[in-house]
Amino acid sequence: LQPSLRVARPVSGPQGRTRVAAAPMSSVKDSLAAVQAAVASAQTARAEALKLSEPTPVRLVAVSKTKPVELLREAYDAGHRHFGENYVHEVVEKAPQMPEDTQWHFIGHLQSNKVSMLLKGCPTLACLETIDSEKLARAVDKAWSGICPERRLRVMIQVNSSGEETKNGVEPGQVAELARVISTELSSLELVGLMTIGAPDYSGCRTEDFETLHACRDQVAAAVGADPLSLELSMGMSADFENAIREGSTSVRVGSSIFGARSYPA
């Protein structure tokens, strides 16, 4: 049986902005539609604020950690393709059970000794968003070259925008050099952008976190000779994805607003 979920639905917020609120029990399909509507509203708000002719595209990654494949399939059947997983064992278990065109994003901390397990277990991996050291980048490059030499693996550098010692991610001052290494020395990888989580003491990223990521993108673009706007910014989760889009995020990672609150084993 399909488990009951709390659906997130768009409701009017301050200054005409849409926000996602809890609603009566409903399906993943309905929750997904509500989040998609909120994403579209935030895209429009940013375009209007910047006087853009059309909104900048934003990718919605449905974060499905701890959720059964049945719920992922409901989102897939509703037309969604991008899913995010935090744990290697989960994505390796789920990938073979989902259609081949599922776009998997790995968004959790990846230890070097788990690289081979992840890449061999999920050869259709669309993006690894959490490169946080040169050591990890080199390990991923070496492993991927032997698994799928015909396709470069899209990767993002995870930035520790909040400056916390316990947070994974590269210090802002070291991001450009790691980007240079990936772009010039690791031919199996394609650097597509930056990712951050933000400070846990706030309901999502702070203004400082957004500003830090934008500054890092400018530095990376200069280091690799790219247009800053060609580099993606992955920031924003269930609590703050609309604000993140208004701040320039091009990829948001939303889980509980789509699949319901997570339950972890005791």
Side-chain angles (χ1 to χ4, degrees):
L1 295 175
Q2 167 68 47
S4 297
L5 297 169
R6 291 187 64 82
V7 61
R9 64 183 177 187
V11 298
S12 298
Q15 301 177 353
R17 294 175 178 174
T18 303
R19 63 184 176 84
V20 174
M25 300 300 180
S26 188
S27 67
V28 168
K29 179 180 179 180
D30 291 340
S31 296
L32 176 63
V35 172
Q36 289 170 331
V39 167
S41 178
Q43 285 178 273
T44 299
R46 176 169 174 78
E48 291 175 349
L50 297 180
K51 294 181 169 53
L52 302 176
S53 59
E54 59 183 21
T56 301
V58 174
R59 177 190 304 107
L60 171 61
V61 176
V63 180
S64 46
K65 67 179 181 181
T66 79
K67 297 301 180 180
V69 171
E70 290 76 15
L71 298 190
L72 278 69
R73 282 190 171 274
E74 184 174 343
Y76 180 93
D77 290 342
H80 200 71
R81 293 295 180 267
H82 292 271
F83 295 86
E85 290 288 343
N86 291 64
Y87 307 117
V88 172
H89 70 276
E90 275 202 72
V91 68
V92 167
E93 178 182 340
K94 292 175 181 177
Q97 301 180 62
M98 290 289 288
E100 289 187 0
D101 64 339
T102 302
Q103 302 292 298
W104 296 102
H105 293 247
F106 190 77
I107 59 175
H109 178 59
L110 180 60
Q111 297 175 309
S112 295
N113 63 357
K114 294 289 183 67
V115 167
S116 181
M117 179 181 176
L118 171 65
L119 302 185
K120 288 181 179 178
C122 187
T124 57
L125 188 66
C127 187
L128 201 172
E129 298 196 16
T130 50
I131 295 292
D132 60 3
S133 69
E134 182 177 335
K135 176 184 177 182
L136 178 60
R138 291 190 181 280
V140 172
D141 178 71
K142 181 179 180 181
W144 189 253
S145 66
I147 294 170
C148 191
E150 68 277 6
R151 174 172 76 91
R152 288 197 295 166
L153 177 63
R154 293 163 55 87
V155 300
M156 294 185 183
I157 296 175
Q158 181 176 353
V159 181
N160 184 354
S161 60
S162 57
E164 298 161 273
E165 293 182 1
T166 57
K167 183 67 63 66
N168 295 313
V170 182
E171 294 299 317
Q174 301 172 356
V175 173
E177 174 58 19
L178 178 54
R180 185 198 64 77
V181 169
I182 293 173
S183 298
T184 62
E185 299 182 26
L186 307 182
S187 59
S188 294
L189 307 183
E190 178 186 2
L191 179 64
V192 297
L194 306 177
M195 176 266 220
T196 196
I197 294 175
D201 294 337
Y202 298 78
S203 57
C205 288
R206 306 163 299 171
T207 299
E208 304 96 290
D209 296 314
F210 294 129
E211 292 175 348
T212 295
L213 206 62
H214 278 287
C216 286
R217 180 170 69 173
D218 289 340
Q219 294 163 11
V220 166
V224 303
D227 179 351
L229 295 180
S230 71
L231 297 169
E232 299 181 23
L233 295 180
S234 175
M235 54 188 189
M237 298 183 283
S238 286
D240 68 334
F241 71 90
E242 293 168 279
N243 186 46
I245 293 170
R246 289 190 289 268
E247 291 284 352
S249 176
T250 59
S251 185
V252 293
R253 311 177 302 273
V254 180
S256 57
S257 293
I258 297 173
F259 296 109
R262 299 183 184 95
S263 58
Y264 297 91

